[in-house]
Amino acid sequence: VRTSKRGRGSSPNEELGKKIGKMWDAGSTQLEIADALEVSTSAVRFHLQKVGIPNDQQHKSRPLVRGKRACVQCKASKELNLYPSPRHAICTACIHKNLEEKKH
Ligand SMILES: [Zn+2]
């Protein structure tokens, strides 16, 4: 579903998006952000998408096991340096694959 928004400039929505982005960068989960900013998790998801974090990267990541984490997508246990950032739930390889698939 696409909603067209009128108007430009800094809207309250935009401000919220920035806050969400910052919290995400700082390592908060969707739920934590939603609680802190008193918005719904779907709003958080929406804003994260807007700041360039696709839905498929917004999963809560799997726990670390002996320095490794299972990728949510390919399920392989990989070291953290194989992820774009330590908080990513999906490994770099999967993200690249996803991007490639979107191009076609
Ligand atoms: Zn993967």
Side-chain angles (χ1 to χ4, degrees):
V1 184
R2 202 191 300 193
T3 51
S4 59
K5 288 253 163 64
R6 282 177 297 123
R8 290 196 183 163
S10 187
S11 63
N13 234 10
E14 219 167 290
E15 285 300 307
L16 181 64
K18 280 182 196 163
K19 281 184 196 166
I20 290 172
K22 266 188 195 158
M23 287 192 68
W24 178 259
D25 284 342
S28 303
T29 63
Q30 277 185 24
L31 204 61
E32 285 163 357
I33 298 170
D35 275 352
L37 300 177
E38 297 181 331
V39 294
S40 64
T41 48
S42 59
V44 173
R45 205 174 314 141
F46 171 77
H47 282 286
L48 284 176
Q49 263 175 313
K50 268 177 61 173
V51 296
I53 302 165
N55 213 1
D56 58 11
Q57 287 176 37
Q58 294 180 23
H59 295 292
K60 186 140 174 55
S61 42
R62 302 263 175 106
L64 268 179
V65 181
R66 273 168 283 146
K68 290 183 174 183
R69 170 186 289 158
C71 168
V72 171
Q73 188 168 317
C74 66
K75 313 280 198 292
S77 185
K78 300 190 171 194
E79 297 189 10
L80 281 189
N81 59 8
L82 294 173
Y83 290 80
S85 88
R87 287 180 307 97
H88 272 78
I90 293 181
C91 70
T92 309
C94 284
I95 286 169
H96 284 298
K97 207 173 76 185
N98 293 346
L99 287 175
E100 282 303 311
E101 273 164 17
K102 269 173 202 164
K103 277 184 204 160
H104 297 298

